Amino acid sequence: MNRCGFRRSKWALVSAILWLMVGCVASADGPAPLARGTVYLPDGRSLSVEVADTPAKQARGYMFRTSVPEGEGMVFLMDSFEIHPFWMKNCLIPLDIIWLDEDWRIVHIAESVPPCKKDPCPSFTPMQKSRYVLEVAAGQSRKLGLEQGERIRYEAPPPPSPAAP
């Protein structure tokens, strides 16, 4: 490799390291909060849920979080009805992962999925196709009495108010 190529590679590496450092600093403060919707459970109780409705929000999920408060969760609004495997890359806490079909009916529950300790991280895959996924703190799906076949209801957050002039 000639010196010019090495320098370009060297600067690309330095640039990448700086971007990673900026990302780590940003994640220390936490990402900007996601919009919050509400999930209504079969027994009438509700959960306040962060809404992961873009590929970037879905990829981030609960990464780098140290807790998920009781009564809260994250709902993933997928673009398609298919098999959606999840993994626990950069997750610090175990979670329950609940896959739901197009009618918000529970099709699969993976309880107490552990954080990934080293690469390659395993994937957790539902037994059926899903359109939505709900994540809650480990043990919450059992505590809430959620079972396959039950239906939940989702209420989207209100649209953001227009910016003042």
Side-chain angles (χ1 to χ4, degrees), residues 1-2 7 15 45 60 76 86 99 104 111 139 151 159:
M1 176 186 297
N2 66 32
R7 285 196 177 149
S15 177
R45 289 185 284 178
R60 177 83 177 185
F76 295 75
F86 271 57
W99 287 267
W104 293 91
E111 294 184 51
R151 190 171 177 193

Side-chain angles (χ1 to χ4, degrees), residues 22-34 50 60-66:
V22 168
C24 288
V25 169
S27 69
D29 295 336
L34 300 179
E50 294 179 63
R60 177 83 177 185
Y62 273 130
M63 285 183 175
F64 309 109
R65 306 280 185 97
T66 56

Side-chain angles (χ1 to χ4, degrees), residues 1 4 6 23 26 31 33 41 43 49 51 62 97 104 109-111 127 131 137 145 149 151 153 157:
M1 176 186 297
C4 186
F6 173 74
L41 305 174
D43 67 1
V49 293
V51 181
Y62 273 130
I97 305 173
W104 293 91
I109 300 174
E111 294 184 51
M127 303 303 291
R131 178 69 186 261
R151 190 171 177 193
R153 188 170 60 85

Side-chain angles (χ1 to χ4, degrees), residues 58 75 106 158 160:
Q58 292 164 359
V75 66
I106 298 171

Side-chain angles (χ1 to χ4, degrees), residues 36-141:
R36 288 196 167 273
T38 304
V39 164
Y40 294 95
L41 305 174
D43 67 1
R45 289 185 284 178
S46 64
L47 301 174
S48 173
V49 293
E50 294 179 63
V51 181
D53 56 358
T54 67
K57 292 175 188 174
Q58 292 164 359
R60 177 83 177 185
Y62 273 130
M63 285 183 175
F64 309 109
R65 306 280 185 97
T66 56
S67 67
V68 176
E70 192 168 322
E72 294 187 14
M74 184 177 293
V75 66
F76 295 75
L77 306 178
M78 305 302 196
D79 289 334
S80 59
F81 182 63
E82 60 186 78
I83 300 291
H84 294 286
F86 271 57
W87 66 345
M88 298 291 283
K89 178 90 171 166
N90 298 320
C91 287
L92 305 176
I93 54 173
L95 298 170
D96 288 352
I97 305 173
I98 304 150
W99 287 267
L100 304 122
D101 67 14
E102 292 179 307
D103 295 321
W104 293 91
R105 195 168 306 280
I106 298 171
V107 297
H108 188 80
I109 300 174
E111 294 184 51
S112 296
V113 177
C116 175
K117 299 290 186 192
K118 68 178 198 173
D119 286 326
C121 292
S123 289
F124 297 86
T125 306
M127 303 303 291
Q128 297 181 39
K129 291 181 179 181
S130 63
R131 178 69 186 261
Y132 311 106
V133 177
L134 173 64
E135 288 184 337
V136 293
Q140 288 299 297
S141 62

